[in-house]
Amino acid sequence: MIDDGTGLLTIGELARSTGLTVRTIRYWSDEGVLTPVTRSAGGYRLYDARSAARLELIRTLRELGLGLEDVRRVLAGERTVAEVAAAHVVALDAQIATLRVTRAVLSSVARRGSTAEEMTLMNRLARLSAAERRRIMEEFVEEMFHGLDLVDPDVRERMRNTAVNLPDDPTPEQVDAWVELAELVQDPGFRAQMRRAAEFNHADRGQGAPPGASMWFAKRLVQLVGRAREENIAPESPEGEEVLRQLLGRADRADVLERVRATHNLRLARYRELLGVLKGEPVRTFEDEFGWVVAALEAHPGG
């Protein structure tokens, strides 16, 4: 305290009393968040007890991560501490989410021994904003069903619900799954496959068919073929022919074969598996059952 009876403090005395450096206090003064009360005859900045209290508030706000502009607005009464804190929580949540993705990407790179090119691709795809990731999936589903008004509503809704995003705290395996899924749904060949499957669904449904009707065949197939496989019935055997008869009746077998191949293949199975990884839920693709039907139809084309 300067010895003139005013009770004012020099910047050095203020620094010693608060534990801050002279350089920090001078910087905050220069930025206009801690204005000196006055200056000495020699031009030195002088502060009072209220300046010390204000300095403590500035330090607290800065330690919480607030920028100087937010600090200035709080001190000026333009915003309350609660308002600034709430806004800062939102910003911190976004930073934390980014750091979690970064950690998962690096863990995946370390585990896989990825090349620099693979790491760059993984980082680019994984670090897309949530909105950008959602757009990729929604555009894929929209292209799949565009103009196909008769597609089973249950199928359409299930596809929309599977347009998943990265979890907030993804595992390295989920980062891998998202990167592979993003590449898959942007691949023109895979899009064409999915579009073809939707076109078959559209063509097979009549006006007024109840939602979910197209799922009946798949459920019936899994049930009958699952039982046949448990009984070790080979698809090319006479017993396999009987299973086909129960499943298909008088349906055109060549037409059924084309549809099964379009809707159940290795890439579609992988798509479903990736969705399961992202959701943290195991997914049964029933590819063994559908593969059995394909083999049976190839062995018994005429019925």
PDB file of all heavy atoms in Angstrom, residues 77-106:
ATOM      1  N   GLY A  77     -22.273  -6.155 -16.165  1.00  0.00           N
ATOM      2  CA  GLY A  77     -23.681  -6.385 -15.864  1.00  0.00           C
ATOM      3  C   GLY A  77     -24.516  -6.710 -17.087  1.00  0.00           C
ATOM      4  O   GLY A  77     -25.748  -6.756 -17.008  1.00  0.00           O
ATOM      5  N   GLU A  78     -23.866  -6.937 -18.241  1.00  0.00           N
ATOM      6  CA  GLU A  78     -24.620  -7.252 -19.456  1.00  0.00           C
ATOM      7  C   GLU A  78     -25.141  -8.684 -19.442  1.00  0.00           C
ATOM      8  O   GLU A  78     -26.132  -9.000 -20.091  1.00  0.00           O
ATOM      9  CB  GLU A  78     -23.724  -7.033 -20.678  1.00  0.00           C
ATOM     10  CG  GLU A  78     -23.276  -5.585 -20.844  1.00  0.00           C
ATOM     11  CD  GLU A  78     -22.272  -5.426 -21.970  1.00  0.00           C
ATOM     12  OE1 GLU A  78     -22.033  -6.423 -22.700  1.00  0.00           O
ATOM     13  OE2 GLU A  78     -21.722  -4.334 -22.138  1.00  0.00           O
ATOM     14  N   ARG A  79     -24.442  -9.564 -18.750  1.00  0.00           N
ATOM     15  CA  ARG A  79     -24.875 -10.961 -18.608  1.00  0.00           C
ATOM     16  C   ARG A  79     -24.600 -11.415 -17.187  1.00  0.00           C
ATOM     17  O   ARG A  79     -23.644 -10.952 -16.559  1.00  0.00           O
ATOM     18  CB  ARG A  79     -24.126 -11.879 -19.583  1.00  0.00           C
ATOM     19  CG  ARG A  79     -24.350 -11.579 -21.033  1.00  0.00           C
ATOM     20  CD  ARG A  79     -23.735 -12.658 -21.915  1.00  0.00           C
ATOM     21  NE  ARG A  79     -24.456 -13.920 -21.852  1.00  0.00           N
ATOM     22  CZ  ARG A  79     -24.072 -15.026 -22.485  1.00  0.00           C
ATOM     23  NH1 ARG A  79     -22.977 -15.028 -23.202  1.00  0.00           N
ATOM     24  NH2 ARG A  79     -24.778 -16.138 -22.396  1.00  0.00           N
ATOM     25  N   THR A  80     -25.445 -12.317 -16.698  1.00  0.00           N
ATOM     26  CA  THR A  80     -25.217 -12.852 -15.359  1.00  0.00           C
ATOM     27  C   THR A  80     -24.203 -13.995 -15.441  1.00  0.00           C
ATOM     28  O   THR A  80     -23.963 -14.578 -16.504  1.00  0.00           O
ATOM     29  CB  THR A  80     -26.517 -13.398 -14.745  1.00  0.00           C
ATOM     30  OG1 THR A  80     -26.941 -14.551 -15.503  1.00  0.00           O
ATOM     31  CG2 THR A  80     -27.611 -12.335 -14.758  1.00  0.00           C
ATOM     32  N   VAL A  81     -23.616 -14.287 -14.303  1.00  0.00           N
ATOM     33  CA  VAL A  81     -22.685 -15.405 -14.231  1.00  0.00           C
ATOM     34  C   VAL A  81     -23.397 -16.701 -14.635  1.00  0.00           C
ATOM     35  O   VAL A  81     -22.832 -17.546 -15.336  1.00  0.00           O
ATOM     36  CB  VAL A  81     -22.085 -15.531 -12.813  1.00  0.00           C
ATOM     37  CG1 VAL A  81     -21.244 -16.799 -12.702  1.00  0.00           C
ATOM     38  CG2 VAL A  81     -21.245 -14.309 -12.483  1.00  0.00           C
ATOM     39  N   ALA A  82     -24.649 -16.852 -14.208  1.00  0.00           N
ATOM     40  CA  ALA A  82     -25.405 -18.066 -14.530  1.00  0.00           C
ATOM     41  C   ALA A  82     -25.594 -18.216 -16.034  1.00  0.00           C
ATOM     42  O   ALA A  82     -25.471 -19.324 -16.585  1.00  0.00           O
ATOM     43  CB  ALA A  82     -26.760 -18.036 -13.833  1.00  0.00           C
ATOM     44  N   GLU A  83     -25.901 -17.121 -16.732  1.00  0.00           N
ATOM     45  CA  GLU A  83     -26.096 -17.178 -18.178  1.00  0.00           C
ATOM     46  C   GLU A  83     -24.816 -17.569 -18.889  1.00  0.00           C
ATOM     47  O   GLU A  83     -24.806 -18.410 -19.791  1.00  0.00           O
ATOM     48  CB  GLU A  83     -26.591 -15.822 -18.694  1.00  0.00           C
ATOM     49  CG  GLU A  83     -28.019 -15.480 -18.294  1.00  0.00           C
ATOM     50  CD  GLU A  83     -28.389 -14.049 -18.639  1.00  0.00           C
ATOM     51  OE1 GLU A  83     -27.470 -13.218 -18.821  1.00  0.00           O
ATOM     52  OE2 GLU A  83     -29.594 -13.771 -18.738  1.00  0.00           O
ATOM     53  N   VAL A  84     -23.723 -16.958 -18.472  1.00  0.00           N
ATOM     54  CA  VAL A  84     -22.435 -17.260 -19.095  1.00  0.00           C
ATOM     55  C   VAL A  84     -22.032 -18.697 -18.800  1.00  0.00           C
ATOM     56  O   VAL A  84     -21.535 -19.419 -19.668  1.00  0.00           O
ATOM     57  CB  VAL A  84     -21.358 -16.275 -18.601  1.00  0.00           C
ATOM     58  CG1 VAL A  84     -19.985 -16.702 -19.100  1.00  0.00           C
ATOM     59  CG2 VAL A  84     -21.670 -14.866 -19.081  1.00  0.00           C
ATOM     60  N   ALA A  85     -22.265 -19.138 -17.568  1.00  0.00           N
ATOM     61  CA  ALA A  85     -21.908 -20.505 -17.194  1.00  0.00           C
ATOM     62  C   ALA A  85     -22.698 -21.509 -18.019  1.00  0.00           C
ATOM     63  O   ALA A  85     -22.146 -22.520 -18.489  1.00  0.00           O
ATOM     64  CB  ALA A  85     -22.160 -20.725 -15.709  1.00  0.00           C
ATOM     65  N   ALA A  86     -23.989 -21.253 -18.221  1.00  0.00           N
ATOM     66  CA  ALA A  86     -24.819 -22.170 -18.999  1.00  0.00           C
ATOM     67  C   ALA A  86     -24.317 -22.267 -20.438  1.00  0.00           C
ATOM     68  O   ALA A  86     -24.244 -23.359 -21.021  1.00  0.00           O
ATOM     69  CB  ALA A  86     -26.271 -21.716 -18.978  1.00  0.00           C
ATOM     70  N   ALA A  87     -23.975 -21.126 -21.024  1.00  0.00           N
ATOM     71  CA  ALA A  87     -23.456 -21.127 -22.392  1.00  0.00           C
ATOM     72  C   ALA A  87     -22.125 -21.857 -22.459  1.00  0.00           C
ATOM     73  O   ALA A  87     -21.837 -22.583 -23.421  1.00  0.00           O
ATOM     74  CB  ALA A  87     -23.298 -19.688 -22.890  1.00  0.00           C
ATOM     75  N   HIS A  88     -21.331 -21.682 -21.414  1.00  0.00           N
ATOM     76  CA  HIS A  88     -20.020 -22.317 -21.404  1.00  0.00           C
ATOM     77  C   HIS A  88     -20.143 -23.830 -21.246  1.00  0.00           C
ATOM     78  O   HIS A  88     -19.343 -24.588 -21.801  1.00  0.00           O
ATOM     79  CB  HIS A  88     -19.181 -21.736 -20.265  1.00  0.00           C
ATOM     80  CG  HIS A  88     -17.710 -21.925 -20.463  1.00  0.00           C
ATOM     81  ND1 HIS A  88     -17.040 -21.440 -21.557  1.00  0.00           N
ATOM     82  CD2 HIS A  88     -16.781 -22.590 -19.712  1.00  0.00           C
ATOM     83  CE1 HIS A  88     -15.762 -21.768 -21.476  1.00  0.00           C
ATOM     84  NE2 HIS A  88     -15.582 -22.478 -20.364  1.00  0.00           N
ATOM     85  N   VAL A  89     -21.136 -24.282 -20.513  1.00  0.00           N
ATOM     86  CA  VAL A  89     -21.369 -25.721 -20.367  1.00  0.00           C
ATOM     87  C   VAL A  89     -21.646 -26.343 -21.733  1.00  0.00           C
ATOM     88  O   VAL A  89     -21.131 -27.423 -22.060  1.00  0.00           O
ATOM     89  CB  VAL A  89     -22.539 -25.996 -19.400  1.00  0.00           C
ATOM     90  CG1 VAL A  89     -23.031 -27.430 -19.528  1.00  0.00           C
ATOM     91  CG2 VAL A  89     -22.116 -25.722 -17.967  1.00  0.00           C
ATOM     92  N   VAL A  90     -22.462 -25.674 -22.545  1.00  0.00           N
ATOM     93  CA  VAL A  90     -22.765 -26.176 -23.890  1.00  0.00           C
ATOM     94  C   VAL A  90     -21.485 -26.293 -24.712  1.00  0.00           C
ATOM     95  O   VAL A  90     -21.246 -27.309 -25.396  1.00  0.00           O
ATOM     96  CB  VAL A  90     -23.774 -25.249 -24.593  1.00  0.00           C
ATOM     97  CG1 VAL A  90     -23.965 -25.670 -26.051  1.00  0.00           C
ATOM     98  CG2 VAL A  90     -25.108 -25.258 -23.857  1.00  0.00           C
ATOM     99  N   ALA A  91     -20.647 -25.247 -24.629  1.00  0.00           N
ATOM    100  CA  ALA A  91     -19.386 -25.272 -25.387  1.00  0.00           C
ATOM    101  C   ALA A  91     -18.469 -26.383 -24.897  1.00  0.00           C
ATOM    102  O   ALA A  91     -17.821 -27.083 -25.692  1.00  0.00           O
ATOM    103  CB  ALA A  91     -18.693 -23.919 -25.278  1.00  0.00           C
ATOM    104  N   LEU A  92     -18.406 -26.566 -23.577  1.00  0.00           N
ATOM    105  CA  LEU A  92     -17.560 -27.612 -23.018  1.00  0.00           C
ATOM    106  C   LEU A  92     -18.058 -29.002 -23.421  1.00  0.00           C
ATOM    107  O   LEU A  92     -17.256 -29.902 -23.712  1.00  0.00           O
ATOM    108  CB  LEU A  92     -17.523 -27.506 -21.487  1.00  0.00           C
ATOM    109  CG  LEU A  92     -16.622 -26.415 -20.911  1.00  0.00           C
ATOM    110  CD1 LEU A  92     -16.794 -26.350 -19.399  1.00  0.00           C
ATOM    111  CD2 LEU A  92     -15.165 -26.674 -21.263  1.00  0.00           C
ATOM    112  N   ASP A  93     -19.381 -29.174 -23.448  1.00  0.00           N
ATOM    113  CA  ASP A  93     -19.935 -30.463 -23.871  1.00  0.00           C
ATOM    114  C   ASP A  93     -19.493 -30.790 -25.295  1.00  0.00           C
ATOM    115  O   ASP A  93     -19.161 -31.948 -25.603  1.00  0.00           O
ATOM    116  CB  ASP A  93     -21.461 -30.444 -23.789  1.00  0.00           C
ATOM    117  CG  ASP A  93     -21.967 -30.561 -22.357  1.00  0.00           C
ATOM    118  OD1 ASP A  93     -21.178 -30.962 -21.483  1.00  0.00           O
ATOM    119  OD2 ASP A  93     -23.153 -30.244 -22.119  1.00  0.00           O
ATOM    120  N   ALA A  94     -19.511 -29.794 -26.159  1.00  0.00           N
ATOM    121  CA  ALA A  94     -19.079 -30.016 -27.543  1.00  0.00           C
ATOM    122  C   ALA A  94     -17.601 -30.376 -27.605  1.00  0.00           C
ATOM    123  O   ALA A  94     -17.185 -31.268 -28.354  1.00  0.00           O
ATOM    124  CB  ALA A  94     -19.350 -28.764 -28.386  1.00  0.00           C
ATOM    125  N   GLN A  95     -16.784 -29.686 -26.790  1.00  0.00           N
ATOM    126  CA  GLN A  95     -15.351 -29.978 -26.757  1.00  0.00           C
ATOM    127  C   GLN A  95     -15.097 -31.386 -26.228  1.00  0.00           C
ATOM    128  O   GLN A  95     -14.253 -32.120 -26.739  1.00  0.00           O
ATOM    129  CB  GLN A  95     -14.628 -28.951 -25.885  1.00  0.00           C
ATOM    130  CG  GLN A  95     -14.603 -27.553 -26.463  1.00  0.00           C
ATOM    131  CD  GLN A  95     -13.978 -26.551 -25.494  1.00  0.00           C
ATOM    132  OE1 GLN A  95     -13.221 -26.925 -24.613  1.00  0.00           O
ATOM    133  NE2 GLN A  95     -14.312 -25.286 -25.661  1.00  0.00           N
ATOM    134  N   ILE A  96     -15.835 -31.761 -25.191  1.00  0.00           N
ATOM    135  CA  ILE A  96     -15.669 -33.096 -24.602  1.00  0.00           C
ATOM    136  C   ILE A  96     -16.035 -34.170 -25.616  1.00  0.00           C
ATOM    137  O   ILE A  96     -15.346 -35.180 -25.754  1.00  0.00           O
ATOM    138  CB  ILE A  96     -16.518 -33.226 -23.325  1.00  0.00           C
ATOM    139  CG1 ILE A  96     -15.925 -32.349 -22.215  1.00  0.00           C
ATOM    140  CG2 ILE A  96     -16.595 -34.681 -22.864  1.00  0.00           C
ATOM    141  CD1 ILE A  96     -16.825 -32.201 -21.001  1.00  0.00           C
ATOM    142  N   ALA A  97     -17.144 -33.944 -26.336  1.00  0.00           N
ATOM    143  CA  ALA A  97     -17.563 -34.915 -27.351  1.00  0.00           C
ATOM    144  C   ALA A  97     -16.489 -35.065 -28.429  1.00  0.00           C
ATOM    145  O   ALA A  97     -16.186 -36.185 -28.874  1.00  0.00           O
ATOM    146  CB  ALA A  97     -18.887 -34.478 -27.980  1.00  0.00           C
ATOM    147  N   THR A  98     -15.888 -33.937 -28.835  1.00  0.00           N
ATOM    148  CA  THR A  98     -14.823 -33.978 -29.834  1.00  0.00           C
ATOM    149  C   THR A  98     -13.617 -34.742 -29.314  1.00  0.00           C
ATOM    150  O   THR A  98     -13.016 -35.556 -30.024  1.00  0.00           O
ATOM    151  CB  THR A  98     -14.412 -32.544 -30.237  1.00  0.00           C
ATOM    152  OG1 THR A  98     -15.532 -31.887 -30.827  1.00  0.00           O
ATOM    153  CG2 THR A  98     -13.272 -32.567 -31.236  1.00  0.00           C
ATOM    154  N   LEU A  99     -13.259 -34.497 -28.053  1.00  0.00           N
ATOM    155  CA  LEU A  99     -12.115 -35.185 -27.460  1.00  0.00           C
ATOM    156  C   LEU A  99     -12.363 -36.686 -27.349  1.00  0.00           C
ATOM    157  O   LEU A  99     -11.448 -37.494 -27.543  1.00  0.00           O
ATOM    158  CB  LEU A  99     -11.819 -34.593 -26.076  1.00  0.00           C
ATOM    159  CG  LEU A  99     -11.192 -33.195 -26.066  1.00  0.00           C
ATOM    160  CD1 LEU A  99     -11.126 -32.659 -24.640  1.00  0.00           C
ATOM    161  CD2 LEU A  99      -9.793 -33.223 -26.681  1.00  0.00           C
ATOM    162  N   ARG A 100     -13.602 -37.060 -27.041  1.00  0.00           N
ATOM    163  CA  ARG A 100     -13.925 -38.485 -26.953  1.00  0.00           C
ATOM    164  C   ARG A 100     -13.753 -39.160 -28.305  1.00  0.00           C
ATOM    165  O   ARG A 100     -13.221 -40.270 -28.393  1.00  0.00           O
ATOM    166  CB  ARG A 100     -15.355 -38.660 -26.446  1.00  0.00           C
ATOM    167  CG  ARG A 100     -15.510 -38.422 -24.943  1.00  0.00           C
ATOM    168  CD  ARG A 100     -16.965 -38.428 -24.551  1.00  0.00           C
ATOM    169  NE  ARG A 100     -17.122 -38.374 -23.098  1.00  0.00           N
ATOM    170  CZ  ARG A 100     -18.255 -38.078 -22.483  1.00  0.00           C
ATOM    171  NH1 ARG A 100     -19.342 -37.796 -23.198  1.00  0.00           N
ATOM    172  NH2 ARG A 100     -18.323 -38.058 -21.174  1.00  0.00           N
ATOM    173  N   VAL A 101     -14.231 -38.499 -29.357  1.00  0.00           N
ATOM    174  CA  VAL A 101     -14.069 -39.065 -30.695  1.00  0.00           C
ATOM    175  C   VAL A 101     -12.592 -39.150 -31.057  1.00  0.00           C
ATOM    176  O   VAL A 101     -12.131 -40.162 -31.599  1.00  0.00           O
ATOM    177  CB  VAL A 101     -14.836 -38.224 -31.739  1.00  0.00           C
ATOM    178  CG1 VAL A 101     -14.489 -38.681 -33.152  1.00  0.00           C
ATOM    179  CG2 VAL A 101     -16.333 -38.328 -31.510  1.00  0.00           C
ATOM    180  N   THR A 102     -11.841 -38.095 -30.739  1.00  0.00           N
ATOM    181  CA  THR A 102     -10.400 -38.091 -31.024  1.00  0.00           C
ATOM    182  C   THR A 102      -9.709 -39.239 -30.310  1.00  0.00           C
ATOM    183  O   THR A 102      -8.878 -39.952 -30.895  1.00  0.00           O
ATOM    184  CB  THR A 102      -9.773 -36.759 -30.592  1.00  0.00           C
ATOM    185  OG1 THR A 102     -10.396 -35.683 -31.313  1.00  0.00           O
ATOM    186  CG2 THR A 102      -8.280 -36.741 -30.885  1.00  0.00           C
ATOM    187  N   ARG A 103     -10.040 -39.448 -29.043  1.00  0.00           N
ATOM    188  CA  ARG A 103      -9.450 -40.536 -28.282  1.00  0.00           C
ATOM    189  C   ARG A 103      -9.777 -41.886 -28.916  1.00  0.00           C
ATOM    190  O   ARG A 103      -8.912 -42.758 -29.042  1.00  0.00           O
ATOM    191  CB  ARG A 103      -9.970 -40.513 -26.844  1.00  0.00           C
ATOM    192  CG  ARG A 103      -9.368 -41.608 -25.950  1.00  0.00           C
ATOM    193  CD  ARG A 103     -10.100 -41.692 -24.636  1.00  0.00           C
ATOM    194  NE  ARG A 103     -11.496 -42.092 -24.841  1.00  0.00           N
ATOM    195  CZ  ARG A 103     -12.432 -42.043 -23.899  1.00  0.00           C
ATOM    196  NH1 ARG A 103     -12.131 -41.591 -22.696  1.00  0.00           N
ATOM    197  NH2 ARG A 103     -13.667 -42.428 -24.165  1.00  0.00           N
ATOM    198  N   ALA A 104     -11.038 -42.057 -29.329  1.00  0.00           N
ATOM    199  CA  ALA A 104     -11.441 -43.321 -29.933  1.00  0.00           C
ATOM    200  C   ALA A 104     -10.733 -43.547 -31.267  1.00  0.00           C
ATOM    201  O   ALA A 104     -10.320 -44.673 -31.583  1.00  0.00           O
ATOM    202  CB  ALA A 104     -12.956 -43.348 -30.123  1.00  0.00           C
ATOM    203  N   VAL A 105     -10.585 -42.485 -32.075  1.00  0.00           N
ATOM    204  CA  VAL A 105      -9.883 -42.600 -33.349  1.00  0.00           C
ATOM    205  C   VAL A 105      -8.433 -43.017 -33.111  1.00  0.00           C
ATOM    206  O   VAL A 105      -7.916 -43.945 -33.755  1.00  0.00           O
ATOM    207  CB  VAL A 105      -9.936 -41.276 -34.137  1.00  0.00           C
ATOM    208  CG1 VAL A 105      -8.970 -41.315 -35.313  1.00  0.00           C
ATOM    209  CG2 VAL A 105     -11.346 -41.008 -34.638  1.00  0.00           C
ATOM    210  N   LEU A 106      -7.754 -42.354 -32.176  1.00  0.00           N
ATOM    211  CA  LEU A 106      -6.360 -42.673 -31.898  1.00  0.00           C
ATOM    212  C   LEU A 106      -6.212 -44.096 -31.354  1.00  0.00           C
ATOM    213  O   LEU A 106      -5.267 -44.808 -31.702  1.00  0.00           O
ATOM    214  CB  LEU A 106      -5.778 -41.667 -30.910  1.00  0.00           C
ATOM    215  CG  LEU A 106      -5.603 -40.245 -31.455  1.00  0.00           C
ATOM    216  CD1 LEU A 106      -5.162 -39.305 -30.346  1.00  0.00           C
ATOM    217  CD2 LEU A 106      -4.580 -40.234 -32.589  1.00  0.00           C
TER     218      LEU A 106
END
